[in-house]
PDB file of all heavy atoms in Angstrom:
ATOM      1  N   SER A   1       0.831  -1.182   0.014  1.00 93.00           N
ATOM      2  CA  SER A   1       0.013   0.023   0.017  1.00 93.00           C
ATOM      3  C   SER A   1       0.919   1.276  -0.004  1.00 93.00           C
ATOM      4  O   SER A   1       2.058   1.268   0.400  1.00 93.00           O
ATOM      5  CB  SER A   1      -0.941  -0.043   1.215  1.00 93.00           C
ATOM      6  OG  SER A   1      -0.240  -0.054   2.395  1.00 93.00           O
ATOM      7  N   ILE A   2       0.299   2.307  -0.469  1.00 94.00           N
ATOM      8  CA  ILE A   2       0.991   3.641  -0.536  1.00 94.00           C
ATOM      9  C   ILE A   2       0.584   4.530   0.605  1.00 94.00           C
ATOM     10  O   ILE A   2      -0.740   4.693   0.825  1.00 94.00           O
ATOM     11  CB  ILE A   2       0.648   4.357  -1.913  1.00 94.00           C
ATOM     12  CG1 ILE A   2       0.915   3.413  -3.024  1.00 94.00           C
ATOM     13  CG2 ILE A   2       1.335   5.709  -1.980  1.00 94.00           C
ATOM     14  CD1 ILE A   2       2.377   3.163  -3.303  1.00 94.00           C
ATOM     15  N   THR A   3       1.464   5.080   1.413  1.00 93.00           N
ATOM     16  CA  THR A   3       1.144   5.988   2.473  1.00 93.00           C
ATOM     17  C   THR A   3       1.981   7.170   2.406  1.00 93.00           C
ATOM     18  O   THR A   3       3.000   7.332   1.670  1.00 93.00           O
ATOM     19  CB  THR A   3       1.322   5.305   3.778  1.00 93.00           C
ATOM     20  OG1 THR A   3       2.780   4.914   3.909  1.00 93.00           O
ATOM     21  CG2 THR A   3       0.444   4.109   3.973  1.00 93.00           C
ATOM     22  N   ASN A   4       1.549   8.259   3.046  1.00 92.00           N
ATOM     23  CA  ASN A   4       2.297   9.504   3.344  1.00 92.00           C
ATOM     24  C   ASN A   4       2.829  10.193   2.059  1.00 92.00           C
ATOM     25  O   ASN A   4       3.939  10.555   1.935  1.00 92.00           O
ATOM     26  CB  ASN A   4       3.495   9.223   4.253  1.00 92.00           C
ATOM     27  CG  ASN A   4       4.068  10.476   4.902  1.00 92.00           C
ATOM     28  OD1 ASN A   4       3.372  11.486   5.014  1.00 92.00           O
ATOM     29  ND2 ASN A   4       5.315  10.376   5.308  1.00 92.00           N
ATOM     30  N   PRO A   5       1.812  10.465   1.091  1.00 94.00           N
ATOM     31  CA  PRO A   5       2.269  11.243  -0.084  1.00 94.00           C
ATOM     32  C   PRO A   5       2.552  12.692   0.290  1.00 94.00           C
ATOM     33  O   PRO A   5       1.764  13.303   0.974  1.00 94.00           O
ATOM     34  CB  PRO A   5       1.096  11.070  -1.059  1.00 94.00           C
ATOM     35  CG  PRO A   5      -0.106  10.849  -0.162  1.00 94.00           C
ATOM     36  CD  PRO A   5       0.439  10.107   1.042  1.00 94.00           C
ATOM     37  N   GLN A   6       3.655  13.245  -0.146  1.00 94.00           N
ATOM     38  CA  GLN A   6       4.022  14.602   0.089  1.00 94.00           C
ATOM     39  C   GLN A   6       4.590  15.264  -1.160  1.00 94.00           C
ATOM     40  O   GLN A   6       5.368  14.620  -1.841  1.00 94.00           O
ATOM     41  CB  GLN A   6       5.061  14.711   1.203  1.00 94.00           C
ATOM     42  CG  GLN A   6       4.646  14.170   2.486  1.00 94.00           C
ATOM     43  CD  GLN A   6       5.782  14.259   3.513  1.00 94.00           C
ATOM     44  OE1 GLN A   6       6.899  14.638   3.270  1.00 94.00           O
ATOM     45  NE2 GLN A   6       5.523  13.887   4.811  1.00 94.00           N
ATOM     46  N   ILE A   7       4.201  16.479  -1.392  1.00 94.00           N
ATOM     47  CA  ILE A   7       4.772  17.172  -2.548  1.00 94.00           C
ATOM     48  C   ILE A   7       6.094  17.771  -2.095  1.00 94.00           C
ATOM     49  O   ILE A   7       6.257  18.452  -1.214  1.00 94.00           O
ATOM     50  CB  ILE A   7       3.817  18.358  -3.014  1.00 94.00           C
ATOM     51  CG1 ILE A   7       2.506  17.811  -3.432  1.00 94.00           C
ATOM     52  CG2 ILE A   7       4.481  19.147  -4.062  1.00 94.00           C
ATOM     53  CD1 ILE A   7       2.570  16.920  -4.645  1.00 94.00           C
ATOM     54  N   LEU A   8       7.181  17.387  -2.838  1.00 93.00           N
ATOM     55  CA  LEU A   8       8.586  17.912  -2.655  1.00 93.00           C
ATOM     56  C   LEU A   8       8.770  19.212  -3.336  1.00 93.00           C
ATOM     57  O   LEU A   8       9.330  20.172  -2.789  1.00 93.00           O
ATOM     58  CB  LEU A   8       9.617  16.864  -3.116  1.00 93.00           C
ATOM     59  CG  LEU A   8       9.587  15.519  -2.436  1.00 93.00           C
ATOM     60  CD1 LEU A   8      10.542  14.658  -3.070  1.00 93.00           C
ATOM     61  CD2 LEU A   8       9.793  15.749  -0.952  1.00 93.00           C
ATOM     62  N   LYS A   9       8.186  19.333  -4.618  1.00 91.00           N
ATOM     63  CA  LYS A   9       8.356  20.575  -5.416  1.00 91.00           C
ATOM     64  C   LYS A   9       7.171  20.604  -6.231  1.00 91.00           C
ATOM     65  O   LYS A   9       6.915  19.680  -7.087  1.00 91.00           O
ATOM     66  CB  LYS A   9       9.586  20.544  -6.171  1.00 91.00           C
ATOM     67  CG  LYS A   9       9.805  21.856  -7.062  1.00 91.00           C
ATOM     68  CD  LYS A   9      11.099  21.814  -7.769  1.00 91.00           C
ATOM     69  CE  LYS A   9      11.228  23.066  -8.576  1.00 91.00           C
ATOM     70  NZ  LYS A   9      12.371  22.989  -9.564  1.00 91.00           N
ATOM     71  N   GLY A  10       6.288  21.617  -6.106  1.00 87.00           N
ATOM     72  CA  GLY A  10       5.084  21.646  -6.831  1.00 87.00           C
ATOM     73  C   GLY A  10       5.058  22.803  -7.843  1.00 87.00           C
ATOM     74  O   GLY A  10       5.973  23.669  -7.888  1.00 87.00           O
ATOM     75  N   ILE A  11       4.035  22.848  -8.685  1.00 88.00           N
ATOM     76  CA  ILE A  11       3.895  23.942  -9.629  1.00 88.00           C
ATOM     77  C   ILE A  11       2.604  24.755  -9.428  1.00 88.00           C
ATOM     78  O   ILE A  11       2.359  25.766 -10.125  1.00 88.00           O
ATOM     79  CB  ILE A  11       3.972  23.424 -11.077  1.00 88.00           C
ATOM     80  CG1 ILE A  11       2.880  22.377 -11.335  1.00 88.00           C
ATOM     81  CG2 ILE A  11       5.341  22.887 -11.392  1.00 88.00           C
ATOM     82  CD1 ILE A  11       2.811  21.993 -12.817  1.00 88.00           C
ATOM     83  N   GLY A  12       1.790  24.281  -8.543  1.00 81.00           N
ATOM     84  CA  GLY A  12       0.490  25.021  -8.247  1.00 81.00           C
ATOM     85  C   GLY A  12      -0.527  24.756  -9.258  1.00 81.00           C
ATOM     86  O   GLY A  12      -0.560  23.695 -10.042  1.00 81.00           O
ATOM     87  N   TYR A  13      -1.501  25.669  -9.359  1.00 84.00           N
ATOM     88  CA  TYR A  13      -2.605  25.599 -10.370  1.00 84.00           C
ATOM     89  C   TYR A  13      -3.400  24.375 -10.294  1.00 84.00           C
ATOM     90  O   TYR A  13      -3.962  23.874 -11.253  1.00 84.00           O
ATOM     91  CB  TYR A  13      -2.088  25.772 -11.717  1.00 84.00           C
ATOM     92  CG  TYR A  13      -1.216  27.017 -11.921  1.00 84.00           C
ATOM     93  CD1 TYR A  13       0.112  26.926 -12.095  1.00 84.00           C
ATOM     94  CD2 TYR A  13      -1.861  28.351 -11.933  1.00 84.00           C
ATOM     95  CE1 TYR A  13       0.918  28.041 -12.224  1.00 84.00           C
ATOM     96  CE2 TYR A  13      -1.079  29.412 -12.098  1.00 84.00           C
ATOM     97  CZ  TYR A  13       0.327  29.312 -12.191  1.00 84.00           C
ATOM     98  OH  TYR A  13       1.052  30.460 -12.366  1.00 84.00           O
ATOM     99  N   GLY A  14      -3.498  23.720  -9.069  1.00 84.00           N
ATOM    100  CA  GLY A  14      -4.261  22.456  -8.832  1.00 84.00           C
ATOM    101  C   GLY A  14      -3.531  21.261  -9.279  1.00 84.00           C
ATOM    102  O   GLY A  14      -4.028  20.134  -9.021  1.00 84.00           O
ATOM    103  N   CYS A  15      -2.385  21.360  -9.881  1.00 86.00           N
ATOM    104  CA  CYS A  15      -1.632  20.158 -10.293  1.00 86.00           C
ATOM    105  C   CYS A  15      -1.178  19.377  -9.010  1.00 86.00           C
ATOM    106  O   CYS A  15      -1.115  18.137  -9.070  1.00 86.00           O
ATOM    107  CB  CYS A  15      -0.455  20.573 -11.195  1.00 86.00           C
ATOM    108  SG  CYS A  15      -0.913  21.261 -12.711  1.00 86.00           S
ATOM    109  N   ASP A  16      -0.659  20.093  -8.017  1.00 90.00           N
ATOM    110  CA  ASP A  16      -0.150  19.424  -6.836  1.00 90.00           C
ATOM    111  C   ASP A  16      -1.240  18.517  -6.198  1.00 90.00           C
ATOM    112  O   ASP A  16      -1.010  17.376  -5.801  1.00 90.00           O
ATOM    113  CB  ASP A  16       0.353  20.421  -5.769  1.00 90.00           C
ATOM    114  CG  ASP A  16       1.425  21.317  -6.378  1.00 90.00           C
ATOM    115  OD1 ASP A  16       1.878  21.014  -7.496  1.00 90.00           O
ATOM    116  OD2 ASP A  16       1.743  22.310  -5.623  1.00 90.00           O
ATOM    117  N   GLU A  17      -2.451  19.116  -6.070  1.00 91.00           N
ATOM    118  CA  GLU A  17      -3.562  18.273  -5.483  1.00 91.00           C
ATOM    119  C   GLU A  17      -3.903  17.086  -6.393  1.00 91.00           C
ATOM    120  O   GLU A  17      -4.289  16.029  -5.833  1.00 91.00           O
ATOM    121  CB  GLU A  17      -4.809  19.208  -5.310  1.00 91.00           C
ATOM    122  CG  GLU A  17      -4.623  20.240  -4.244  1.00 91.00           C
ATOM    123  CD  GLU A  17      -3.915  21.479  -4.798  1.00 91.00           C
ATOM    124  OE1 GLU A  17      -3.649  21.668  -6.014  1.00 91.00           O
ATOM    125  OE2 GLU A  17      -3.549  22.470  -3.973  1.00 91.00           O
ATOM    126  N   GLU A  18      -3.881  17.226  -7.624  1.00 90.00           N
ATOM    127  CA  GLU A  18      -4.198  16.085  -8.583  1.00 90.00           C
ATOM    128  C   GLU A  18      -3.141  14.998  -8.434  1.00 90.00           C
ATOM    129  O   GLU A  18      -3.442  13.790  -8.437  1.00 90.00           O
ATOM    130  CB  GLU A  18      -4.202  16.548 -10.033  1.00 90.00           C
ATOM    131  CG  GLU A  18      -5.533  17.278 -10.367  1.00 90.00           C
ATOM    132  CD  GLU A  18      -6.709  16.456 -10.133  1.00 90.00           C
ATOM    133  OE1 GLU A  18      -6.675  15.255 -10.591  1.00 90.00           O
ATOM    134  OE2 GLU A  18      -7.638  16.879  -9.559  1.00 90.00           O
ATOM    135  N   VAL A  19      -1.850  15.330  -8.214  1.00 92.00           N
ATOM    136  CA  VAL A  19      -0.789  14.330  -8.012  1.00 92.00           C
ATOM    137  C   VAL A  19      -1.079  13.538  -6.657  1.00 92.00           C
ATOM    138  O   VAL A  19      -0.946  12.383  -6.655  1.00 92.00           O
ATOM    139  CB  VAL A  19       0.619  14.962  -8.071  1.00 92.00           C
ATOM    140  CG1 VAL A  19       1.630  14.004  -7.602  1.00 92.00           C
ATOM    141  CG2 VAL A  19       0.905  15.563  -9.318  1.00 92.00           C
ATOM    142  N   ILE A  20      -1.369  14.332  -5.635  1.00 93.00           N
ATOM    143  CA  ILE A  20      -1.742  13.541  -4.345  1.00 93.00           C
ATOM    144  C   ILE A  20      -2.894  12.654  -4.582  1.00 93.00           C
ATOM    145  O   ILE A  20      -2.792  11.546  -4.024  1.00 93.00           O
ATOM    146  CB  ILE A  20      -1.988  14.684  -3.246  1.00 93.00           C
ATOM    147  CG1 ILE A  20      -0.811  15.471  -2.938  1.00 93.00           C
ATOM    148  CG2 ILE A  20      -2.612  13.983  -2.050  1.00 93.00           C
ATOM    149  CD1 ILE A  20       0.267  14.714  -2.191  1.00 93.00           C
ATOM    150  N   LYS A  21      -3.957  13.069  -5.251  1.00 93.00           N
ATOM    151  CA  LYS A  21      -5.096  12.252  -5.519  1.00 93.00           C
ATOM    152  C   LYS A  21      -4.701  10.966  -6.377  1.00 93.00           C
ATOM    153  O   LYS A  21      -5.126   9.963  -6.084  1.00 93.00           O
ATOM    154  CB  LYS A  21      -6.194  13.052  -6.241  1.00 93.00           C
ATOM    155  CG  LYS A  21      -7.531  12.349  -6.224  1.00 93.00           C
ATOM    156  CD  LYS A  21      -8.620  13.145  -7.060  1.00 93.00           C
ATOM    157  CE  LYS A  21      -8.643  14.696  -6.851  1.00 93.00           C
ATOM    158  NZ  LYS A  21      -9.656  15.327  -7.580  1.00 93.00           N
ATOM    159  N   LEU A  22      -3.817  11.262  -7.336  1.00 90.00           N
ATOM    160  CA  LEU A  22      -3.340  10.136  -8.162  1.00 90.00           C
ATOM    161  C   LEU A  22      -2.600   9.086  -7.374  1.00 90.00           C
ATOM    162  O   LEU A  22      -2.887   7.901  -7.411  1.00 90.00           O
ATOM    163  CB  LEU A  22      -2.361  10.651  -9.306  1.00 90.00           C
ATOM    164  CG  LEU A  22      -1.670   9.665 -10.110  1.00 90.00           C
ATOM    165  CD1 LEU A  22      -2.574   9.099 -11.171  1.00 90.00           C
ATOM    166  CD2 LEU A  22      -0.437  10.374 -10.700  1.00 90.00           C
ATOM    167  N   ILE A  23      -1.708   9.551  -6.482  1.00 92.00           N
ATOM    168  CA  ILE A  23      -0.894   8.643  -5.620  1.00 92.00           C
ATOM    169  C   ILE A  23      -1.751   7.938  -4.692  1.00 92.00           C
ATOM    170  O   ILE A  23      -1.631   6.679  -4.483  1.00 92.00           O
ATOM    171  CB  ILE A  23       0.165   9.435  -4.915  1.00 92.00           C
ATOM    172  CG1 ILE A  23       1.152  10.058  -5.837  1.00 92.00           C
ATOM    173  CG2 ILE A  23       0.919   8.591  -3.902  1.00 92.00           C
ATOM    174  CD1 ILE A  23       1.925   9.210  -6.716  1.00 92.00           C
ATOM    175  N   GLU A  24      -2.707   8.534  -4.022  1.00 91.00           N
ATOM    176  CA  GLU A  24      -3.597   7.857  -3.151  1.00 91.00           C
ATOM    177  C   GLU A  24      -4.461   6.858  -3.714  1.00 91.00           C
ATOM    178  O   GLU A  24      -4.874   5.833  -3.098  1.00 91.00           O
ATOM    179  CB  GLU A  24      -4.498   8.879  -2.363  1.00 91.00           C
ATOM    180  CG  GLU A  24      -3.751   9.785  -1.374  1.00 91.00           C
ATOM    181  CD  GLU A  24      -4.579  10.868  -0.766  1.00 91.00           C
ATOM    182  OE1 GLU A  24      -5.600  11.217  -1.331  1.00 91.00           O
ATOM    183  OE2 GLU A  24      -4.115  11.414   0.255  1.00 91.00           O
ATOM    184  N   ASN A  25      -4.753   6.982  -5.069  1.00 92.00           N
ATOM    185  CA  ASN A  25      -5.683   5.981  -5.687  1.00 92.00           C
ATOM    186  C   ASN A  25      -4.944   4.903  -6.537  1.00 92.00           C
ATOM    187  O   ASN A  25      -5.563   4.205  -7.241  1.00 92.00           O
ATOM    188  CB  ASN A  25      -6.733   6.827  -6.578  1.00 92.00           C
ATOM    189  CG  ASN A  25      -7.663   7.546  -5.797  1.00 92.00           C
ATOM    190  OD1 ASN A  25      -8.077   7.068  -4.733  1.00 92.00           O
ATOM    191  ND2 ASN A  25      -7.947   8.796  -6.195  1.00 92.00           N
ATOM    192  N   MET A  26      -3.603   4.891  -6.439  1.00 92.00           N
ATOM    193  CA  MET A  26      -2.823   3.917  -7.218  1.00 92.00           C
ATOM    194  C   MET A  26      -3.091   2.513  -6.675  1.00 92.00           C
ATOM    195  O   MET A  26      -3.364   2.372  -5.450  1.00 92.00           O
ATOM    196  CB  MET A  26      -1.362   4.240  -7.170  1.00 92.00           C
ATOM    197  CG  MET A  26      -0.892   5.275  -8.130  1.00 92.00           C
ATOM    198  SD  MET A  26       0.711   5.350  -8.446  1.00 92.00           S
ATOM    199  CE  MET A  26       1.556   5.519  -6.851  1.00 92.00           C
ATOM    200  N   PRO A  27      -3.002   1.527  -7.555  1.00 93.00           N
ATOM    201  CA  PRO A  27      -3.115   0.141  -7.002  1.00 93.00           C
ATOM    202  C   PRO A  27      -1.865  -0.216  -6.124  1.00 93.00           C
ATOM    203  O   PRO A  27      -0.864   0.515  -6.186  1.00 93.00           O
ATOM    204  CB  PRO A  27      -3.172  -0.751  -8.364  1.00 93.00           C
ATOM    205  CG  PRO A  27      -2.606   0.109  -9.328  1.00 93.00           C
ATOM    206  CD  PRO A  27      -2.847   1.594  -8.963  1.00 93.00           C
ATOM    207  N   ARG A  28      -1.921  -1.334  -5.488  1.00 93.00           N
ATOM    208  CA  ARG A  28      -0.752  -1.732  -4.614  1.00 93.00           C
ATOM    209  C   ARG A  28       0.430  -1.976  -5.495  1.00 93.00           C
ATOM    210  O   ARG A  28       0.330  -2.541  -6.570  1.00 93.00           O
ATOM    211  CB  ARG A  28      -1.124  -3.007  -3.820  1.00 93.00           C
ATOM    212  CG  ARG A  28      -2.197  -2.840  -2.816  1.00 93.00           C
ATOM    213  CD  ARG A  28      -2.403  -3.972  -1.967  1.00 93.00           C
ATOM    214  NE  ARG A  28      -3.450  -3.875  -1.026  1.00 93.00           N
ATOM    215  CZ  ARG A  28      -3.215  -3.491   0.243  1.00 93.00           C
ATOM    216  NH1 ARG A  28      -2.071  -3.167   0.658  1.00 93.00           N
ATOM    217  NH2 ARG A  28      -4.287  -3.277   1.069  1.00 93.00           N
ATOM    218  N   TRP A  29       1.625  -1.680  -4.905  1.00 92.00           N
ATOM    219  CA  TRP A  29       2.866  -1.812  -5.567  1.00 92.00           C
ATOM    220  C   TRP A  29       3.539  -3.113  -4.954  1.00 92.00           C
ATOM    221  O   TRP A  29       3.142  -3.663  -3.913  1.00 92.00           O
ATOM    222  CB  TRP A  29       3.839  -0.688  -5.197  1.00 92.00           C
ATOM    223  CG  TRP A  29       3.576   0.563  -5.937  1.00 92.00           C
ATOM    224  CD1 TRP A  29       2.364   1.119  -6.304  1.00 92.00           C
ATOM    225  CD2 TRP A  29       4.534   1.437  -6.452  1.00 92.00           C
ATOM    226  NE1 TRP A  29       2.490   2.261  -6.985  1.00 92.00           N
ATOM    227  CE2 TRP A  29       3.857   2.479  -7.042  1.00 92.00           C
ATOM    228  CE3 TRP A  29       5.927   1.477  -6.459  1.00 92.00           C
ATOM    229  CZ2 TRP A  29       4.457   3.558  -7.634  1.00 92.00           C
ATOM    230  CZ3 TRP A  29       6.539   2.523  -7.083  1.00 92.00           C
ATOM    231  CH2 TRP A  29       5.840   3.582  -7.658  1.00 92.00           C
ATOM    232  N   ASN A  30       4.571  -3.605  -5.668  1.00 92.00           N
ATOM    233  CA  ASN A  30       5.317  -4.682  -5.052  1.00 92.00           C
ATOM    234  C   ASN A  30       6.272  -4.074  -4.064  1.00 92.00           C
ATOM    235  O   ASN A  30       6.968  -3.097  -4.425  1.00 92.00           O
ATOM    236  CB  ASN A  30       6.208  -5.375  -6.213  1.00 92.00           C
ATOM    237  CG  ASN A  30       5.356  -6.078  -7.191  1.00 92.00           C
ATOM    238  OD1 ASN A  30       4.296  -6.613  -6.850  1.00 92.00           O
ATOM    239  ND2 ASN A  30       5.818  -6.141  -8.408  1.00 92.00           N
ATOM    240  N   PRO A  31       6.353  -4.544  -2.840  1.00 92.00           N
ATOM    241  CA  PRO A  31       7.111  -3.904  -1.829  1.00 92.00           C
ATOM    242  C   PRO A  31       8.594  -4.205  -2.013  1.00 92.00           C
ATOM    243  O   PRO A  31       8.953  -5.110  -2.755  1.00 92.00           O
ATOM    244  CB  PRO A  31       6.643  -4.680  -0.487  1.00 92.00           C
ATOM    245  CG  PRO A  31       6.115  -5.946  -0.925  1.00 92.00           C
ATOM    246  CD  PRO A  31       5.581  -5.742  -2.397  1.00 92.00           C
ATOM    247  N   GLY A  32       9.418  -3.385  -1.355  1.00 92.00           N
ATOM    248  CA  GLY A  32      10.830  -3.588  -1.373  1.00 92.00           C
ATOM    249  C   GLY A  32      11.194  -4.812  -0.625  1.00 92.00           C
ATOM    250  O   GLY A  32      10.501  -5.143   0.353  1.00 92.00           O
ATOM    251  N   MET A  33      12.220  -5.503  -0.977  1.00 93.00           N
ATOM    252  CA  MET A  33      12.655  -6.765  -0.285  1.00 93.00           C
ATOM    253  C   MET A  33      14.036  -6.539   0.216  1.00 93.00           C
ATOM    254  O   MET A  33      14.938  -6.002  -0.450  1.00 93.00           O
ATOM    255  CB  MET A  33      12.606  -7.952  -1.275  1.00 93.00           C
ATOM    256  CG  MET A  33      11.252  -8.180  -1.911  1.00 93.00           C
ATOM    257  SD  MET A  33      10.068  -8.686  -0.716  1.00 93.00           S
ATOM    258  CE  MET A  33      10.441 -10.448  -0.535  1.00 93.00           C
ATOM    259  N   GLN A  34      14.247  -7.028   1.464  1.00 93.00           N
ATOM    260  CA  GLN A  34      15.579  -7.057   2.139  1.00 93.00           C
ATOM    261  C   GLN A  34      15.708  -8.353   2.864  1.00 93.00           C
ATOM    262  O   GLN A  34      14.943  -8.622   3.826  1.00 93.00           O
ATOM    263  CB  GLN A  34      15.666  -5.795   3.018  1.00 93.00           C
ATOM    264  CG  GLN A  34      17.123  -5.636   3.520  1.00 93.00           C
ATOM    265  CD  GLN A  34      17.276  -4.372   4.323  1.00 93.00           C
ATOM    266  OE1 GLN A  34      16.307  -3.818   4.829  1.00 93.00           O
ATOM    267  NE2 GLN A  34      18.468  -3.796   4.361  1.00 93.00           N
ATOM    268  N   ARG A  35      16.683  -9.100   2.493  1.00 94.00           N
ATOM    269  CA  ARG A  35      16.942 -10.470   3.091  1.00 94.00           C
ATOM    270  C   ARG A  35      15.735 -11.361   2.957  1.00 94.00           C
ATOM    271  O   ARG A  35      15.422 -12.086   3.842  1.00 94.00           O
ATOM    272  CB  ARG A  35      17.423 -10.378   4.454  1.00 94.00           C
ATOM    273  CG  ARG A  35      18.787  -9.610   4.635  1.00 94.00           C
ATOM    274  CD  ARG A  35      19.320  -9.691   6.016  1.00 94.00           C
ATOM    275  NE  ARG A  35      20.498  -8.905   6.149  1.00 94.00           N
ATOM    276  CZ  ARG A  35      20.735  -7.900   6.943  1.00 94.00           C
ATOM    277  NH1 ARG A  35      19.707  -7.489   7.710  1.00 94.00           N
ATOM    278  NH2 ARG A  35      21.871  -7.273   6.966  1.00 94.00           N
ATOM    279  N   GLY A  36      15.053 -11.195   1.851  1.00 93.00           N
ATOM    280  CA  GLY A  36      13.816 -12.091   1.581  1.00 93.00           C
ATOM    281  C   GLY A  36      12.561 -11.622   2.351  1.00 93.00           C
ATOM    282  O   GLY A  36      11.515 -12.242   2.159  1.00 93.00           O
TER     283      GLY A  36
END
């Protein structure tokens, strides 16, 4: 699952909010693996 989306550098005009919405609605990713 995806948590804690934060804008590091935005351009405004509603684009930043759309990116947050996009990230929150993404399907599950494959998690990182460390030592299996």
Side-chain angles (χ1 to χ4, degrees):
S1 62
I2 305 294
T3 59
N4 199 22
Q6 298 178 356
I7 299 297
L8 299 176
K9 182 178 177 189
I11 58 174
Y13 305 106
C15 295
D16 303 349
E17 292 82 7
E18 283 300 314
V19 170
I20 293 291
K21 195 183 313 182
L22 171 80
I23 297 298
E24 288 175 343
N25 293 319
M26 281 199 303
R28 291 185 183 269
W29 285 38
N30 293 329
M33 300 295 279
Q34 188 172 25
R35 296 188 183 119

